[in-house]
Amino acid sequence: MTNIDEFLRCKTPESWVQAAIDDLPTLLIDHANCEKKAASTALNLMYRYVEKPAMLLKLSKLAREELRHFEQVLGIMRKREIEYQQIASARYAGELRKGVRTHEPARLIDILIVSAIVEARSCERFEALIPHLDRELSEFYTSLLKSEARHFMVYLDFARQYSTEDISDRIAFFLAEDERLILSADEDFRFHSGVPALAA
Ligand SMILES: [Fe+2]
Ligand SMILES: [Fe+2]
């Protein structure tokens, strides 16, 4: 995953990895939520940008893959008797989205960049977790890592393709936001949370 490690500005802090190992039920519940959200992000784009057939097709496939991941997480939760309950979402995606511009086509480009970063960060987190997990979860996360790496490229390629100008400034802007959210203290432990507040 060298390209993702080079793309992102920081690695997941060790204290987050420790918090995840200590609270696998919350990790899995929030992971299930993230897969649902990933599917709905793709669907929302499909509703809004019907005039882009190449993107519609790719995103439809991507949404199905995310729902399949959701089903797989549910399966693992059921096996481990982890009860699915409502938990508030992490600040991460909402905060990243605050920087999305509201006029078109800037809005589309920014959403595609944010989606690429969320996929890249998920991929990096799976990789950080894998050595610490039991066999079933580490195999599952190894398989997910590959699809999220692919999704990262899908979003980034469309962002480049649909933009009429160079997008490196926008990518740098959102990457700095990602870095801030990952490296600053965060009260709630979630799949995309920052440094656990107690460890900060
Ligand atoms: Fe996924
Ligand atoms: Fe994904």
Side-chain angles (χ1 to χ4, degrees):
M1 291 306 113
T2 332
N3 60 341
I4 280 177
D5 290 341
E6 281 167 11
F7 177 76
L8 294 172
R9 290 197 178 170
C10 66
K11 275 190 170 308
T12 285
E14 272 307 313
S15 56
W16 181 89
V17 176
Q18 194 52 53
I21 299 161
D22 292 343
D23 191 359
L24 284 182
T26 304
L27 180 81
L28 286 167
I29 291 171
D30 193 55
H31 178 189
N33 287 342
C34 289
E35 298 292 359
K36 254 195 296 191
K37 240 177 283 160
S40 83
T41 298
L43 277 169
N44 284 334
L45 286 168
M46 290 167 66
Y47 275 108
R48 186 120 179 186
Y49 302 99
V50 288
E51 73 289 357
K52 294 185 162 47
M55 189 173 83
L56 290 183
L57 208 61
K58 278 262 188 198
L59 290 185
S60 171
K61 249 183 106 168
L62 188 150
R64 280 190 285 136
E65 269 187 80
E66 304 293 21
L67 285 178
R68 175 78 192 123
H69 297 165
F70 172 70
E71 291 161 25
Q72 288 173 296
V73 184
L74 280 191
I76 287 183
M77 283 168 57
R78 199 182 318 121
K79 238 200 259 178
R80 298 178 183 221
E81 296 179 352
I82 296 168
E83 201 188 325
Y84 199 164
Q85 35 186 317
Q86 289 287 3
I87 55 171
S89 45
R91 65 183 185 184
Y92 179 77
E95 289 276 319
L96 274 183
R97 285 243 178 178
K98 280 187 184 163
V100 170
R101 293 167 292 177
T102 50
H103 58 282
E104 296 294 358
R107 180 183 179 276
L108 171 64
I109 304 305
D110 284 356
I111 290 177
L112 291 170
I113 293 171
V114 166
S115 304
I117 291 175
V118 174
E119 295 285 347
R121 180 55 70 189
S122 307
C123 193
E124 189 267 345
R125 291 235 143 147
F126 288 135
E127 204 175 20
L129 285 168
I130 287 166
H132 306 280
L133 299 171
D134 56 80
R135 193 180 168 148
E136 180 190 43
L137 263 186
S138 68
E139 282 179 3
F140 177 44
Y141 279 8
T142 303
S143 72
L144 291 188
L145 186 148
K146 290 171 191 155
S147 23
E148 313 307 6
R150 217 172 351 95
H151 298 165
F152 156 65
M153 284 313 298
V154 166
Y155 280 120
L156 199 61
D157 284 346
F158 281 126
R160 293 200 170 112
Q161 194 178 316
Y162 293 136
S163 180
T164 49
E165 44 195 63
D166 182 63
I167 59 169
S168 23
D169 283 359
R170 295 309 291 164
I171 295 176
F173 168 77
F174 287 112
L175 281 177
E177 283 296 282
D178 163 85
E179 185 180 31
R180 175 178 72 80
L181 293 160
I182 293 301
L183 295 186
S184 60
D186 200 339
E187 290 292 326
D188 302 313
F189 166 74
R190 295 291 184 267
F191 190 84
H192 289 114
S193 56
V195 176
L198 289 173

